[in-house]
Amino acid sequence: MINSRIRSFAFAGIEARPVWVEVQISSGLPAFLIVGLPDKAVAEARERVRASLTSMGMALPAKRIVINLVPADIPKEGSHFDLPIALALLCAMEVLPYEEVARFAALGELSLDGRLNPVAGVLSASIEASAMSLGLICPAMQAEEALCGGDIAILGAPTLLALINHFTGLQILTPPAFSERAPDSSSERLPDLSEIKGMETGRRALEIAAAGGHSILLSGPPGAGKSMLAARLPSLLPDLTQRESLDVSRIYSAAGLLKDGRPIRRPPFRDPHHSATLPALVGGGNKARPGEISLADHGVLFLDELPEFSRSALEALRQPLETGRVSIARAALHVTYPARFQLIAAMNPCRCGYLGDASKECRKAPRCGEDYMARLSGPLLDRIDIHVAMQPFVPLDYLSGPSGEASAPVAERVQVARQRQYARHDGMKNAQATLEQMPITEDAQALAQKIATRFRFSARGYTRMIRVARTIADLAGETDIQSPHVAEAATFRLRSGQD
């Protein structure tokens, strides 16, 4: 006979899977068992629950207690099962009214003194609870995060004792509400384009990439300004839409990185070191946590010194660049994370970095450049929309040259171009659009086909050139793609060495 059962969740990526926490208290030798494929953290919940009850002057009955996590064939991981186990036990012990508690799903980690500690995945749990027409009980520090999941009843409790008092009528927990906070001003602290002199081609390419969400590869000698230019891309990007903000916040919630329960409004910018491993970049580990490419969802993934990353890590980028998601397969687990990131990569032309400069290049030139480029596969390079060859730094030109346009007016043009794309592609950027969604004049199409034939573009390369041309047309305020837009897009499509 089941004495009580409370809803909770098991997590697979950013998805929350409903789990019943069932309790049976029966006669027999005293025991406290947890079954249903629990991991080490779940198995240790019995000690945390026992200590929490002891801190309130309560004790478990000297009977056989069995906690069953249903369905039993799904692995249960994490300390967030502490709270639903404790609530189900208290209902079985008739300390709490079962009918009232059963209207809520619950998750939270218990301290030994009964405090509720934050856990990962509250936002996904809130979304799933809303779909099931249930309320959600969670730690008080994450109540605002839970509010983002839907219009449902949220109980944010600081302690287990506060929950007991709430359900027994001794104390009423105040419904959470979004606190008054200053607007996110992170964009004001971002590096500005006005700090860069010259680099007209690089600045133009950056504006196009920002407007259409295109991937871009900056190549050039050391000190040419590749990293400096890439660092200014976030200042050109508009705030996330409501749907994008929810998607990104769910990923950060699942990774335990959502601070203060505040939704993420700005596009994330991730810049892992080139020593990052394959699991760190694409996700993985024992619990298949999201990697850098998923944490950069709807934002920017900056890979400096691109050829220095491991070959396996670079090749793993091919699938998410094409599909916008990454799948992590394990023997007992298969997880898919969103990965609609904008790749910004930078690299030197060779190992020493001075290929083409007779006064500085090494004795292995030009072979060193060929070997260095061989670290990047053709299919990976084919998935990069814009290729820019940066010119060497010239001190006199830089010091005497005028300051460039600031980020603010460029960001305004990017915002207008984005609005055109969202209206035309139902919320998608040009980088994800299909050819059928991009009107083009006959002359422009003929030019695009001629260029693709001359330089032997793949079907993917042709499509990506048209996408860049569509963004150039949006920045110009044109309805159709015209020949000048295709011509400019083609210059960014050609890689060094193509003629």
Side-chain angles (χ1 to χ4, degrees), residues 92-103:
M93 295 163 57
E94 299 183 351
V95 174
L96 296 179
Y98 174 69
E99 293 77 10
E100 293 294 323
V101 180
R103 295 189 294 108

Side-chain angles (χ1 to χ4, degrees), residues 433-446:
T434 62
L435 289 177
E436 292 75 15
Q437 296 173 301
M438 294 179 285
I440 182 172
T441 64
E442 292 183 2
D443 290 344
Q445 188 167 16

Side-chain angles (χ1 to χ4, degrees), residues 203-426:
R203 293 168 63 95
R204 173 62 172 170
L206 199 69
E207 180 178 347
I208 295 170
H214 302 289
S215 54
I216 179 173
L217 174 61
L218 305 171
S219 61
K226 304 183 295 295
S227 300
M228 181 171 63
L229 194 63
R232 280 145 182 83
L233 177 61
S235 66
L236 308 183
L237 300 177
D239 289 343
L240 298 173
T241 64
Q242 186 174 1
R243 184 173 65 180
E244 291 171 345
S245 176
L246 183 61
D247 291 343
V248 176
S249 298
R250 287 186 70 183
I251 296 172
Y252 277 72
S253 175
L257 300 176
L258 195 60
K259 297 181 180 179
D260 303 325
R262 191 174 189 178
I264 296 175
R265 303 296 186 189
R266 292 290 303 161
F269 184 87
R270 307 293 298 187
D271 54 345
H273 190 261
H274 59 73
S275 61
T277 62
L278 174 62
L281 196 61
V282 304
N286 292 334
K287 298 183 179 181
R289 296 297 188 189
E292 292 291 336
I293 63 175
S294 294
L295 295 174
D297 187 49
H298 292 302
V300 177
L301 177 68
F302 176 45
L303 301 183
D304 201 5
E305 306 296 342
L306 184 66
E308 299 296 334
F309 284 82
S310 69
R311 183 63 177 263
S312 60
L314 291 178
E315 292 305 302
L317 296 177
R318 289 163 56 176
Q319 178 203 11
L321 277 173
E322 197 71 30
T323 64
R325 61 183 184 274
V326 60
S327 297
I328 303 171
R330 295 292 181 268
L333 184 66
H334 189 279
V335 175
T336 298
Y337 285 109
R340 294 172 292 270
F341 61 90
Q342 182 177 359
L343 175 64
I344 307 297
M347 62 174 288
N348 295 326
C350 63
R351 185 84 181 191
C352 69
Y354 296 103
L355 182 67
D357 188 339
S359 63
K360 291 185 177 182
E361 66 182 10
C362 64
R363 292 175 296 178
K364 296 180 180 180
R367 181 62 181 272
C368 64
E370 297 173 359
D371 293 342
Y372 201 61
M373 282 297 299
R375 297 186 179 191
L376 305 176
S377 69
L380 175 62
L381 291 173
D382 200 37
R383 285 169 167 82
I384 298 178
D385 301 333
I386 299 174
H387 298 254
V388 180
M390 306 286 290
Q391 298 303 312
F393 171 71
V394 181
L396 291 179
D397 293 346
Y398 182 80
L399 295 175
S400 60
S403 297
E405 188 178 18
S407 292
V410 179
E412 291 180 4
R413 295 196 295 269
V414 168
Q415 176 68 38
V416 172
R418 284 280 184 95
Q419 290 173 350
R420 292 193 180 102
Q421 297 166 48
Y422 291 154
R424 184 174 57 245
H425 306 318
D426 191 24

Side-chain angles (χ1 to χ4, degrees), residues 49-78:
V49 170
R50 192 192 306 272
S52 298
L53 296 179
T54 300
S55 69
M56 296 182 292
M58 303 175 64
L60 293 173
K63 295 184 177 182
R64 180 180 176 83
I65 301 173
V66 178
I67 308 293
N68 184 32
L69 307 178
V70 182
D73 60 340
I74 297 178
K76 317 302 187 306
E77 299 177 343

Side-chain angles (χ1 to χ4, degrees), residues 12 26 29 53 101-102 117 122 130 148 190 194 209 211 214-215 350 352 358 427 433 473:
S26 59
L29 293 176
L53 296 179
V101 180
N117 299 322
V122 168
S130 176
C148 301
L190 295 174
S194 62
H214 302 289
S215 54
C350 63
C352 69

